């Protein structure tokens, strides 16, 4: 008689499978170009049954951009963990800097995805979908922090924060060649961007 695997083990297996597909999709897209990637090739690259792919991702574009989604999710998670005494924009700035300070595989993969997005217009619709989902998640976190209604202020904070990050990251990558520009440059520009938001945009 066999017993079902514990929920924790099953969940870890699902996360591992998703990560394998995400990493395979990114490897193939970087190596061969997004237009030459298929769901079947991603599954084969990850050594996972082809029919399994669509249990985790709805398209190859979603799989390729899953790393970018993880980066945004990490910012929201760190924002939730910031001290309650911090203002919304201060907590957001510090959350972003915490995530950027990671010097690990996930961090390098995120930079690779950002580069890929710049040269693959076909990823734009999925990128917008990812951004919309993460803005909603951040708005929910801001609402919880303020213990108030989900009003225009909350939506504006969430939308402008991610917009500021997109602008800063895009400018940062414009200066790069094959290697990422110095992280201290990015940190300084993130700080400047959030200082500008806190001060107001009207000049």
């Amino acid at each position: 008689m066999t017993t079902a695997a514990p929920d924790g083990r099953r969940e870890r297996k699902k996360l591992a499978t998703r990560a394998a597909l995400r990493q395979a999709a990114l490897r193939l897209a970087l190596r061969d170009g997004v237009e030459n990637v298929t769901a079947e090739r991603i599954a084969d690259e990850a050594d996972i049954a082809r029919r399994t792919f669509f249990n985790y991702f709805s398209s190859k574009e979603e799989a390729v951009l899953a790393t970018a989604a993880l980066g945004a999710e990490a910012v929201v998670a760190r924002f939730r963990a910031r001290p309650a005494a911090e203002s919304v924009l201060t907590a957001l700035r510090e959350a972003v800097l915490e995530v950027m300070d990671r010097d690990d595989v996930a961090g390098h993969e995120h930079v690779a995805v950002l580069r890929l997005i710049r040269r693959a217009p076909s990823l734009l619709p999925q990128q917008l979908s990812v951004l919309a989902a993460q803005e909603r998640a951040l708005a929910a976190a801001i609402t919880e922090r303020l213990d108030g209604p989900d009003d225009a202020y909350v939506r504006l904070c969430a939308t402008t924060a991610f917009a500021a990050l997109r602008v800063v990251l895009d400018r940062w990558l414009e200066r790069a060649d094959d290697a990422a520009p110095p992280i201290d440059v990015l940190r300084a520009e993130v700080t400047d961007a959030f200082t500008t938001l806190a001060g107001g945009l009207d000049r």
Side-chain angles (χ1 to χ4, degrees):
M1 179 178 179
T2 59
T3 57
D7 288 344
R9 183 184 303 170
R10 185 181 298 111
E11 186 60 27
R12 287 193 298 272
K13 185 175 180 180
K14 287 182 179 179
L15 290 174
T17 300
R18 183 179 177 85
L21 289 167
R22 170 179 60 79
Q23 292 164 348
L26 181 56
R27 280 197 305 273
L28 289 173
L30 291 171
R31 188 181 71 202
D32 303 332
V34 175
E35 67 279 3
N36 296 313
V37 176
T38 64
E40 291 77 14
R41 288 192 65 201
I42 294 170
D44 290 346
E45 177 78 7
D47 195 23
I48 291 168
R50 292 183 175 188
R51 64 181 180 277
T52 301
F53 176 88
F54 292 102
N55 292 336
Y56 293 87
F57 298 106
S58 62
S59 66
K60 69 177 184 181
E61 289 82 7
E62 183 183 1
V64 170
L65 290 187
T67 298
L70 283 178
E73 289 168 9
V75 168
V76 175
R78 293 313 308 155
F79 171 75
R80 289 181 181 276
R82 295 299 305 173
E86 291 179 346
S87 69
V88 169
L89 289 178
T90 296
L92 276 170
R93 182 193 67 217
E94 293 305 312
V96 169
L97 293 177
E98 284 183 35
V99 172
M100 287 181 174
D101 278 342
R102 298 184 316 184
D103 184 19
D104 55 13
V105 172
H108 295 304
E109 287 179 346
H110 195 178
V111 172
V113 170
L114 294 176
R115 292 180 186 282
L116 189 61
I117 291 170
R118 287 169 61 85
R119 62 176 188 263
S122 64
L123 293 175
L124 181 58
Q126 183 61 38
Q127 181 191 17
L128 294 176
S129 177
V130 168
L131 290 171
Q134 296 311 318
E135 285 175 8
R136 289 193 296 271
L138 180 55
I142 294 171
T143 298
E144 291 176 13
R145 186 180 193 85
L146 297 178
D147 193 23
D150 180 3
D151 56 14
Y153 170 80
V154 168
R155 300 296 180 92
L156 282 170
C157 276
T159 300
T160 56
F162 277 128
L165 284 179
R166 291 197 298 277
V167 169
V168 169
L169 287 167
D170 196 54
R171 284 167 49 84
W172 183 62
L173 289 172
E174 281 177 356
R175 305 188 190 99
D177 44 30
D178 290 334
I183 193 67
D184 59 331
V185 172
L186 182 57
R187 288 180 56 87
E189 294 200 359
V190 166
T191 299
D192 286 345
F194 277 90
T195 299
T196 298
L197 289 181
L201 294 176
D202 195 17
R203 293 183 179 177

